[in-house]
Amino acid sequence: MALLIEEGGLFTTVQDLGRRGYLHQGVVESGAMDRTAARNANIAVGNEEHAAVLEMTFIGPTITFQAGCLICIAGDGMTPYMNGNPSTLGTPFFVPQGTSLSFKVKKKGIRTYLAVAGGIDVPVTMESRSTYLRAGLGGFNGRKLEKGDQLTIGEANELVRPIMEEATKQNRLWEADWRVFSPIIEEQSDDRSVIRAIRGNHYHRLTDESKKKLFQATFTIKSQSDRMGYRLESEEAIQLEESFSLLSEAVALGTVQAPPDGQLIILMADRQTTGGYPRALQTVAVDVSKLAQLRPGDSFTFTEVSLEEAEQLYLEHERAMAMRRNGILLKWKQIRRKLEGKE
Amino acid sequence: MEQRPEFDALSETSITVNLGKDASPEVHAQIQRLLKELNQNPFCGYQEAVPSYIGVTVFYDPIELVKNTKCRSVSEEVIRLLKERIGLADMHEEKQIGEQITIPVCYDAEFGPDLDHVAKTNGLTREEVINLHTANEYLVYMIGFAPGFPFLGGMDERIATSRHGNPRTEIPAGSVGIAGKQTGVYPISTPGGWQLIGQTPLELFSTDREVPSLLKAGDRVTFKAISKAEFLRKKEVDHGSTH
């Protein structure tokens, strides 16, 4: 055992980058809502990007480390405190045995991720460690974490092991002198009031008025929003030219549906695999992480980009992520060389 | 008469291809041939495909595609690759690839709280509803909505009943329902608005199995009426041994 949950917080679950390959069996993808933050936290501690992390929502948990761990906290949801002292986001830390980690609520943002070198070691269910609460699938017994739960940690990458061993010997907190930030490319600013989207395949069936409204109106996230979907509220309803019946087909992360009442729904990580409402827009992949940090009551507008632009943004983001991963591996190599007295 | 396939980008990482306008066994067979082709002969970056009543949505990794094909537009390249696969799929021999599965159902009032309503709405007796529901062979068009939930086609229209105006908040796993001309089975306990006419002791979704979903698109299903005693016995055999 390595992590003892003293308080579960509002909604803390184990997530990775999602359960893929089973959509045709109706099994939902799940996975981290803010994938950029989860990936950042993982690569900072030398993990695979797909390693399981804790997703903490709004009110964070209190955790005691029962063994020394190398950790990184990322995502803009709350402020971390280590043994009562404010701590930084995006920096890898070695926390000695007995360290207590707690969180304070922030004015903005809602989700924070805790990565531990080696990853959270819960059983792999259908090729993923993600929790899908509705079916009680995956994660820690298919549920959110509660007081008294104990989590085990997998084996850390050999690159980071020497620093962990050294810090364990000295039994003290160690902190890297670098950190990972969330907006990873320039085009992905941290302004969450504008979300980019491409036209959905039923956009052309909206009234002319609604087509304009989509990119002008302010949308507010309703309180009924959850990991499955964000329900939006706008002053004017988004209407179809004429109603038509639609056969259910696959939907994607960030699909924006227009149900008959005219109030949009954005499908998020725990979305159902198929949907039967008209698809008005599709959020660009790199902006889904921004959406994931919006909380009920927050407002934003959509701005239109072309499919080609969305593809370019996706490719740039992935290339930047790969460069960051390589850069961090180099940093760990340097740290190891220093430890071995070679520098 | 063959329809030209229609392509639509769902996102930067997925494209839907529709092979027909309406659900039919012919379009379904074409979809199954394409799925078979894609899974046997996946293109570079291919991740998975989700069938619907009239088409297939293909999910892919744009980075893999760009690395290996040097294409300029990822979605155009995927459409080109999909057209190729559709051409190859059409050469597969025509035969049904799904399995035939019998689902035992207890139609007792305790398990089918809406059976009376379905009978009354359609001017039938309970027995007539059960006879009509168990008479046909159904085609699994797709699995969606919830883990393992089958969308079945081929129900006798004489028992078609519109769904509840106000959905139930909790439907027991295994419940067999009717919604309009469709029938289906709830694999896990969820909210839902279908008319419940019975319950099966079979587990439609279980992670204890290698393939968790009992049914897959292309399977053919028949329902068989069983007594309550048989229901309880089967439930014991089906769930008892694994837990």
Side-chain angles (χ1 to χ4, degrees):
Chain A
M1 298 300 158
L3 303 192
L4 172 65
I5 307 299
E6 307 279 2
E7 293 295 335
L10 182 71
F11 190 71
T12 306
T13 57
V14 177
Q15 300 291 344
D16 54 23
L17 295 181
R19 183 168 280 114
R20 295 298 293 269
Y22 297 90
L23 295 175
H24 66 283
Q25 293 188 35
V27 178
V28 308
E29 183 174 328
S30 304
M33 291 276 278
D34 180 347
R35 302 211 171 169
T36 307
R39 292 168 76 183
N40 274 336
N42 268 327
I43 61 178
V45 295
N47 283 351
E48 295 288 334
E49 291 178 30
H50 196 65
V53 298
L54 292 189
E55 178 177 275
M56 305 169 282
T57 311
F58 195 52
I59 299 168
T62 303
I63 298 167
T64 298
F65 293 89
Q66 297 172 317
C69 290
L70 180 70
I71 66 165
C72 178
I73 304 153
D76 196 16
M78 50 203 79
T79 312
Y81 283 75
M82 235 153 346
N83 290 334
N85 304 313
S87 175
T88 45
L89 291 170
T91 299
F93 286 96
F94 176 82
V95 291
Q97 187 180 7
T99 305
S100 167
L101 175 67
S102 58
F103 297 88
K104 278 197 181 150
V105 174
K106 266 194 178 169
K107 287 208 175 80
K108 281 182 176 169
I110 186 163
R111 279 170 247 272
T112 299
Y113 295 83
L114 169 67
V116 183
I120 309 287
D121 189 23
V122 293
V124 176
T125 312
M126 306 170 85
E127 290 172 53
S128 165
R129 293 184 164 90
S130 284
T131 313
Y132 175 47
L133 215 66
R134 268 168 219 262
L137 199 75
F140 186 84
N141 298 333
R143 61 167 172 80
K144 64 177 188 168
L145 296 181
E146 288 162 11
K147 185 180 182 144
D149 289 343
Q150 287 184 309
L151 299 168
T152 45
I153 303 301
E155 195 167 334
N157 183 323
E158 58 175 36
L159 261 184
V160 302
R161 254 184 272 153
I163 187 75
M164 290 174 66
E165 281 157 17
E166 183 63 23
T168 305
K169 252 187 262 166
Q170 297 180 10
N171 193 38
R172 64 181 186 89
L173 188 81
W174 173 89
E175 179 183 350
D177 56 1
W178 46 272
R179 55 184 289 207
V180 290
F181 290 95
S182 230
I184 188 158
I185 50 174
E186 232 168 85
E187 290 76 5
Q188 190 198 9
S189 78
D190 50 7
D191 174 13
R192 296 184 201 129
S193 65
V194 180
I195 299 293
R196 287 165 295 186
I198 59 174
R199 293 178 181 188
N201 46 10
H202 302 111
Y203 172 86
H204 64 283
R205 303 185 74 153
L206 299 174
T207 63
D208 287 342
E209 187 76 351
S210 287
K211 282 180 194 164
K212 265 186 252 155
K213 283 280 158 1
L214 266 184
F215 297 112
Q216 287 171 352
T218 298
F219 295 95
T220 305
I221 295 168
K222 291 209 264 192
S223 56
Q224 299 98 308
S225 301
D226 57 15
R227 281 180 45 87
M228 185 174 182
Y230 278 8
R231 289 170 179 271
L232 306 182
E233 194 162 28
S234 57
E235 254 174 49
E236 275 145 297
I238 301 298
Q239 303 288 6
L240 296 166
E241 200 73 68
E242 52 189 311
S243 71
F244 64 104
S245 102
L246 181 64
L247 293 166
S248 282
E249 63 178 49
V251 288
L253 182 61
T255 299
V256 183
Q257 295 183 322
D261 71 359
Q263 300 295 340
L264 303 179
I265 299 169
I266 313 183
L267 300 177
M268 299 300 281
D270 278 352
R271 69 197 175 278
Q272 53 190 69
T273 57
T274 59
Y277 287 132
R279 293 172 285 276
L281 293 173
Q282 173 65 40
T283 312
V284 305
V286 297
D287 280 2
V288 172
S289 288
K290 280 204 244 176
L291 272 181
Q293 291 297 352
L294 291 173
R295 46 162 95 167
D298 285 348
S299 297
F300 66 91
T301 54
F302 284 112
T303 187
E304 184 179 0
V305 296
S306 67
L307 175 62
E308 291 69 32
E309 285 171 293
E311 282 183 345
Q312 283 313 310
L313 284 170
Y314 182 95
L315 295 172
E316 275 172 46
H317 184 262
E318 290 306 309
R319 285 175 187 137
M321 194 57 101
M323 274 173 67
R324 171 173 286 183
R325 189 170 53 231
N326 292 335
I328 288 172
L329 290 178
L330 276 176
K331 280 188 191 296
W332 282 117
K333 278 182 191 158
Q334 276 171 5
I335 292 168
R336 192 172 66 174
R337 276 207 298 274
K338 230 180 219 171
L339 266 182
E340 290 166 351
K342 288 177 187 163
E343 233 168 60
Chain B
M1 188 190 67
E2 199 107 316
Q3 272 243 310
R4 281 173 69 86
E6 281 180 19
F7 298 89
D8 238 325
L10 171 63
S11 71
E12 308 93 322
T13 59
S14 54
I15 282 178
T16 300
V17 50
N18 284 331
L19 299 168
K21 288 251 179 282
D22 300 297
S24 71
E26 292 71 35
V27 171
H28 175 79
Q30 220 188 333
I31 290 168
Q32 291 303 313
R33 289 197 298 269
L34 175 57
L35 286 173
K36 187 178 170 191
E37 178 61 35
L38 280 169
N39 289 320
Q40 283 177 354
N41 182 17
F43 59 82
C44 167
Y46 169 81
Q47 287 174 328
E48 63 180 313
V50 183
S52 75
Y53 282 107
I54 56 168
V56 174
T57 300
V58 176
F59 290 85
Y60 54 88
D61 176 1
I63 290 286
E64 284 294 308
L65 269 148
V66 168
K67 247 194 249 165
N68 292 284
T69 65
K70 311 277 180 226
C71 60
R72 285 183 57 214
S73 161
V74 179
S75 48
E76 279 172 25
E77 177 67 10
V78 175
I79 290 172
R80 190 185 69 75
L81 290 162
L82 277 174
K83 280 182 179 160
E84 249 176 41
R85 297 302 188 281
I86 291 167
L88 292 168
D90 286 341
M91 294 188 298
H92 285 309
E93 76 276 36
E94 185 77 50
K95 70 170 187 221
Q96 285 188 306
I97 26 186
E99 286 171 68
Q100 210 290 322
I101 292 161
T102 302
I103 296 185
V105 180
C106 177
Y107 291 93
D108 277 18
E110 186 185 335
F111 300 119
D114 299 322
L115 186 59
D116 275 333
H117 175 73
V118 171
K120 224 171 272 169
T121 310
N122 292 293
L124 301 168
T125 64
R126 292 170 62 92
E127 286 64 38
E128 284 169 327
V129 174
I130 297 168
N131 288 341
L132 287 170
H133 194 252
T134 49
N136 286 6
E137 184 179 77
Y138 301 90
L139 180 61
V140 181
Y141 275 97
M142 60 189 278
I143 305 287
F145 172 68
F149 188 101
F151 285 85
L152 302 176
M155 193 179 74
D156 195 306
E157 291 198 25
R158 284 175 286 176
I159 54 174
T161 313
S162 56
R163 63 186 80 202
H164 286 282
N166 192 6
R168 284 190 174 90
T169 52
E170 198 74 15
I171 287 178
S175 294
V176 178
I178 288 177
K181 290 186 286 180
Q182 306 176 96
T183 183
V185 188
Y186 285 95
I188 59 170
S189 172
T190 61
W194 292 33
Q195 304 286 348
L196 307 183
I197 59 167
Q199 197 175 320
T200 176
L202 295 188
E203 276 190 306
L204 265 83
F205 185 82
S206 167
T207 50
D208 294 339
R209 285 194 293 255
E210 197 183 334
V211 181
S213 180
L214 179 70
L215 302 173
K216 59 182 185 303
D219 285 347
R220 284 154 293 124
V221 167
T222 48
F223 293 107
K224 182 181 142 231
I226 57 167
S227 67
K228 187 177 172 183
E230 217 174 325
F231 173 90
L232 294 172
R233 200 164 54 238
K234 279 212 161 67
K235 194 147 183 144
E236 198 126 296
V237 171
D238 203 37
H239 310 309
S241 56
T242 52
H243 298 297

